[in-house]
Amino acid sequence: MKLRTSLIIATATIALTALPAVAQQTTTTETTTTTTTVKKGHHRYVYYGDHDIYFAPETKVYYWREGNDWRSAAELPETYRTYITRGGVNIELDTEKPYERNEWVIAHYKHHDRDDE
């Protein structure tokens, strides 16, 4: 009978020891990460290097410099229109604001032949 009592006590001890683990609630924390992907596509422009004027054919917007500031509009001011009567150079940039890459454009395209010549 001692053996039987010892088995019952051992079983009860194991069950009681495991009971808090079973009774304990499990809390699961889920961490989600939001990733913002900025898609850098290519934007096409016609660059008129003689006066640093850009034209975006898709949006039909001109970009030009007035003093130290850049301007943009669907039409050029009348005083600038004579500068784009002849063709420019077709270029692609990774920005919607071509003046952000103006130094690079000048270095690579300022003195290139125009596409139509």
Side-chain angles (χ1 to χ4, degrees), residues 11-87:
T11 304
T13 304
I14 292 171
L16 289 175
T17 305
L19 190 61
V22 172
Q24 183 181 11
Q25 283 188 327
T26 304
T27 304
T28 304
T29 304
E30 185 176 323
T31 304
T32 58
T33 304
T34 304
T35 303
T36 303
T37 303
V38 177
K39 195 172 187 179
K40 288 191 174 183
H42 290 283
H43 302 275
R44 294 186 318 120
Y45 300 98
V46 179
Y47 172 64
Y48 300 92
D50 293 342
H51 293 88
D52 287 335
I53 297 172
Y54 297 87
F55 175 68
E58 287 88 10
T59 59
K60 297 184 179 10
V61 173
Y62 287 93
Y63 300 86
W64 68 95
R65 187 182 294 216
E66 282 185 7
N68 291 329
D69 298 322
W70 283 92
R71 307 280 186 223
S72 64
E75 290 185 5
L76 280 171
E78 193 171 327
T79 56
Y80 291 89
R81 291 180 194 160
T82 58
Y83 301 139
I84 61 162
T85 57
R86 294 185 300 153

